[in-house]
């Protein structure tokens, strides 16, 4: 008797929990996101890939090859360089999205690799703000910012707070290139109310055919596991290698995933300045 009663109590308490959950859902207390995602098989099947190409703006090798890829692309353009404006216009005309590729101080590496208008951790808040606003004004059609290098600067909460504040004022989102695991972009974007996206894979951090091929294989694997995957490649030394590897892989990837613009992956709708 005792054990039956016990079982009954368990059953009743399960029913009670379930009915509490259902009434909470109908009252709008419990977010429905997960439940809907689980119930909708097409949502699970539709994997998406956003390809971001960094380092445009200096007449870099492979720029045309990248812009001519037959998919929606997002290109990140370094400000204040000879072809910054030209590359932004060319990308925009082809229907690609444009980001400001903000040069930012790394823990290691030469300052000369940063390029003009770089954000370093010794700058005042006012100077950081001025440089970010200047960079946005210099790259037409930019709808977001991502970091060029920047392991040290993105790890500095003060620096990131100023950058996020400018993003918020200009209606831009931030893509964390994730050059370091200690980046403060998550905390500071949340604090400022700026949408944050994060790089999931570098295609060509080593400039060899063998490495890029290995990363393309990884791209296939990761895109099967992750609903939304952001991938970064580069023009410049690896530009030709990466663009031809991508061109070759695109038809097979399109059978498994959809290529989208970066802004399609924003966590919430964003007014996009054009
Ligand atoms: Zn870069």
């Amino acid at each position: 008797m005792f054990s039956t009663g016990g079982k009954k109590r368990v059953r009743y308490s399960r029913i009670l929990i379930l009915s509490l959950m259902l009434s909470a859902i109908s009252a709008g207390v419990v977010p429905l996101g997960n439940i809907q995602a689980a119930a909708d098989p097409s949502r699970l099947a539709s994997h998406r890939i956003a390809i971001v190409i960094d380092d445009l703006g200096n007449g870099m090798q492979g720029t045309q090859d990248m812009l001519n890829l037959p998919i929606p692309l997002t290109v990140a353009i370094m400000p204040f360089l000879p072809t910054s404006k030209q590359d932004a216009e060319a990308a925009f005309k082809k229907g690609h999205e444009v980001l400001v590729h903000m040069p930012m101080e790394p823990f290691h590496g030469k300052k000369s690799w940063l390029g003009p208008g770089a954000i370093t951790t010794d700058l005042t808040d006012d100077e950081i703000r001025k440089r970010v606003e200047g960079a946005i004004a210099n790259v037409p059609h930019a709808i977001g910012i991502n970091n060029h290098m920047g392991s040290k600067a993105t790890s500095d909460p003060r620096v990131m707070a100023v950058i996020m504040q400018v993003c918020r004022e200009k209606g831009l989102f931030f893509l964390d290139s994730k050059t370091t695991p200690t980046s403060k972009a998550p905390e500071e974007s949340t604090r400022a109310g700026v949408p944050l996206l994060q790089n999931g894979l570098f295609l060509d951090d080593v400039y060899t055919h063998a490495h890029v091929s290995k990363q393309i294989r990884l791209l296939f694997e990761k895109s099967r596991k992750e609903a939304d995957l952001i991938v970064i490649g580069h023009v410049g030394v690896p530009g030709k290698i990466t663009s031809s590897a991508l061109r070759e892989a695109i038809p097979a990837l399109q059978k498994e995933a959809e290529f989208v613009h970066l802004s399609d992956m924003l966590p919430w709708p964003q007014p996009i300045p054009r």
Side-chain angles (χ1 to χ4, degrees):
M1 280 305 287
F2 182 78
S3 70
T4 312
K7 271 181 191 164
K8 256 184 200 159
R9 268 201 296 277
V10 169
R11 208 176 301 137
Y12 286 144
S13 65
R14 274 188 192 154
I15 291 167
L16 181 68
I17 289 167
L18 186 66
S19 67
L20 277 174
M21 277 179 69
L22 285 172
S23 58
I25 288 168
S26 62
V29 178
V30 177
L32 280 165
N34 291 340
I35 295 169
Q36 281 173 340
D40 180 3
S42 67
R43 172 75 187 85
L44 291 174
S46 62
H47 288 222
R48 306 190 301 173
I49 303 171
I51 305 273
V52 179
I53 304 298
D54 280 359
D55 292 355
L56 281 83
N58 203 19
M60 299 300 260
Q61 203 177 321
T63 297
Q64 268 321 310
D65 307 74
M66 290 294 192
L67 292 180
N68 288 336
L69 288 174
I71 50 169
L73 274 187
T74 301
V75 296
I77 299 184
M78 300 188 72
F80 313 117
L81 290 175
T83 66
S84 300
K85 284 195 161 63
Q86 182 189 320
D87 290 352
E89 293 294 352
F92 184 74
K93 264 191 207 130
K94 285 186 176 288
H96 301 319
E97 283 186 344
V98 174
L99 305 180
V100 173
H101 195 41
M102 198 72 216
M104 294 173 70
E105 184 181 1
F107 283 121
H108 310 286
K110 295 178 194 162
K111 272 197 175 180
S112 61
W113 293 347
L114 283 171
I119 303 298
T120 50
T121 53
D122 56 349
L123 298 175
T124 63
D125 290 10
D126 278 354
E127 185 59 29
I128 293 169
R129 165 177 285 276
K130 222 181 277 172
R131 290 188 183 200
V132 177
E133 286 174 349
I136 295 167
N138 193 254
V139 177
H141 311 296
I143 59 167
I145 294 181
N146 77 334
N147 53 296
H148 170 71
M149 307 177 75
S151 51
K152 187 172 179 185
T154 57
S155 299
D156 188 320
R158 179 187 67 90
V159 171
M160 292 310 288
V162 178
I163 294 173
M164 293 301 175
Q165 198 52 46
V166 178
C167 282
R168 188 188 160 89
E169 288 163 17
K170 304 280 181 192
L172 305 188
F173 62 87
F174 192 86
L175 165 66
D176 190 354
S177 308
K178 280 181 88 178
T179 54
T180 172
T182 56
S183 168
K184 294 289 179 284
E187 292 90 333
E188 297 308 325
S189 62
T190 305
R191 209 188 303 275
V194 169
L196 177 75
L197 296 167
Q198 293 181 311
N199 174 29
L201 180 69
F202 276 118
L203 282 179
D204 47 14
D205 41 336
V206 177
Y207 306 157
T208 61
H209 282 279
H211 182 74
V212 174
S213 305
K214 192 182 110 213
Q215 296 308 91
I216 295 275
R217 282 197 298 278
L218 212 50
L219 165 59
F220 274 94
E221 277 172 36
K222 279 176 85 85
S223 70
R224 282 177 200 135
K225 288 184 204 144
E226 294 170 33
D228 278 358
L229 178 65
I230 297 168
V231 176
I232 297 184
H234 294 81
V235 291
V237 182
K240 294 261 179 196
I241 301 173
T242 307
S243 59
S244 67
L246 274 173
R247 184 173 281 278
E248 229 172 83
I250 283 168
L253 283 166
Q254 276 171 329
K255 288 184 184 146
E256 304 185 19
E258 182 191 3
F259 286 98
V260 296
H261 283 129
L262 195 57
S263 72
D264 292 324
M265 290 190 180
L266 285 173
W268 66 83
Q270 175 83 345
I272 292 177
R274 294 281 177 187

